[in-house]
Amino acid sequence: MNSLFDLTGRTALITGSSRGIGAALARGLAEAGAEVVLNSRDEQMLTTAAEQLAEATGATVRTAAFDVTDPLAVDAAVRRIGPVDILVNNTGVQHREPLLDVSAENFRRVVDTNLTSAFLVGRAVAEGMLGRGRGKIVNVCSVQSRLARPGIAAYAASKGGLAMLTRAMCAEWAPGGITVNGLAPGYVLTELTRPLAEDPGFDGWIRGRTPAGRWARPEDLVGTLIWLSSAASDFVNGQVIAVDGGITAVI
């Protein structure tokens, strides 16, 4: 049974992985046996994250600093990295502002970062996967792929689009041996969301709205990621799996 989830010998590229959710996902893949490639635009942060991950897990850890929204930079980086067996499109950004006040520039920035980047990196990596006849792509979606709330329209639109891009990738690439699925976290407690968690009103709303009664922790996402990255999910394709403590299951 353990062999179904063993990632030994696989190379995994995780975008936006110098901290937060991406770093936790990278650690999970490393502990499952994968060689991991960390990505962000900040080379110094990447170096520090890679050193810490290698020390903690004993895994082989590489870094690739590039802008996931730049098509030329993406293509050049993927060529440098070499064959990728597992791609995790994790890069994301939030923008909180009433919809009537959101500038076109900020809307495009969120969509480019959260959605267009997955198209660019996914396309670049999938070409090699199709040539080898196998590959795993996991797009980090969100409960906002299905649900909306005031003040985060650009984010919800980008994550809804990412869910449909996941299905479109499956439709085109599954015949070539690639599985493409979405991992949709609920509200995850990270450095970036800590101000929300420290707001008693918002914290109480999240805990009351979530059947599990708590925020997610980054490590709560790892098991589902390992499953979607491994042979255990070889016939699972085009799905968006919610890891949300039940928030999308209830009214």
Side-chain angles (χ1 to χ4, degrees):
M1 180 63 69
N2 287 343
S3 64
L4 281 174
F5 300 93
D6 185 10
L7 301 180
T8 301
R10 304 297 191 192
T11 297
L13 168 62
I14 309 96
T15 68
S17 50
S18 62
R19 61 178 178 170
I21 291 173
L25 298 180
R27 177 164 183 159
L29 291 168
E31 290 177 341
E35 174 184 325
V36 298
V37 183
L38 305 183
N39 157 263
S40 81
R41 290 182 297 181
D42 189 321
E43 195 151 0
Q44 183 55 53
M45 285 185 65
L46 277 181
T47 299
T48 300
E51 291 172 351
Q52 292 173 346
L53 180 57
E55 182 177 355
T57 64
T60 299
V61 182
R62 293 189 280 150
T63 63
F66 64 95
D67 182 349
V68 294
T69 68
D70 181 338
L72 295 179
V74 167
D75 290 344
V78 170
R79 286 195 298 270
R80 289 196 303 271
I81 292 166
V84 172
D85 303 293
I86 300 161
L87 168 64
V88 183
N89 281 311
N90 170 72
T91 297
V93 67
Q94 178 61 282
H95 183 81
R96 296 183 176 91
E97 191 175 25
L99 184 54
L100 287 177
D101 298 327
V102 177
S103 68
E105 179 184 4
N106 277 327
F107 192 90
R108 291 191 191 100
R109 176 178 62 88
V110 173
V111 171
D112 281 350
T113 304
N114 297 356
L115 176 57
T116 307
S117 68
F119 158 68
L120 294 173
V121 183
R123 179 178 63 176
V125 169
E127 186 173 1
M129 290 178 171
L130 290 168
R132 296 187 297 277
R134 60 179 173 83
K136 298 278 185 173
I137 297 176
V138 180
N139 295 324
V140 178
C141 299
S142 168
V143 292
Q144 263 76 51
S145 295
R146 306 177 184 180
L147 306 174
R149 65 178 180 82
I152 57 168
Y155 183 84
S158 69
K159 291 297 187 176
L162 185 58
M164 285 309 302
L165 179 63
T166 298
R167 297 179 178 111
M169 287 175 166
C170 164
E172 295 210 16
W173 298 338
I178 301 176
T179 68
V180 189
N181 292 289
L183 172 62
Y187 285 83
V188 184
L189 184 58
T190 66
E191 179 183 334
L192 294 179
T193 60
R194 189 166 298 280
L196 294 176
E198 291 175 349
D199 177 338
F202 194 87
D203 179 61
W205 179 76
I206 289 296
R207 293 177 184 275
R209 180 70 178 78
T210 306
R214 65 172 177 86
W215 291 67
R217 297 179 290 265
E219 54 267 30
D220 288 323
L221 310 176
V222 170
T224 304
L225 175 67
I226 299 304
W227 171 54
L228 292 176
S229 301
S230 70
S233 62
D234 277 353
F235 206 58
V236 179
N237 218 335
Q239 304 304 304
V240 178
I241 311 297
V243 184
D244 64 357
I247 196 170
T248 54
V250 300
I251 296 176

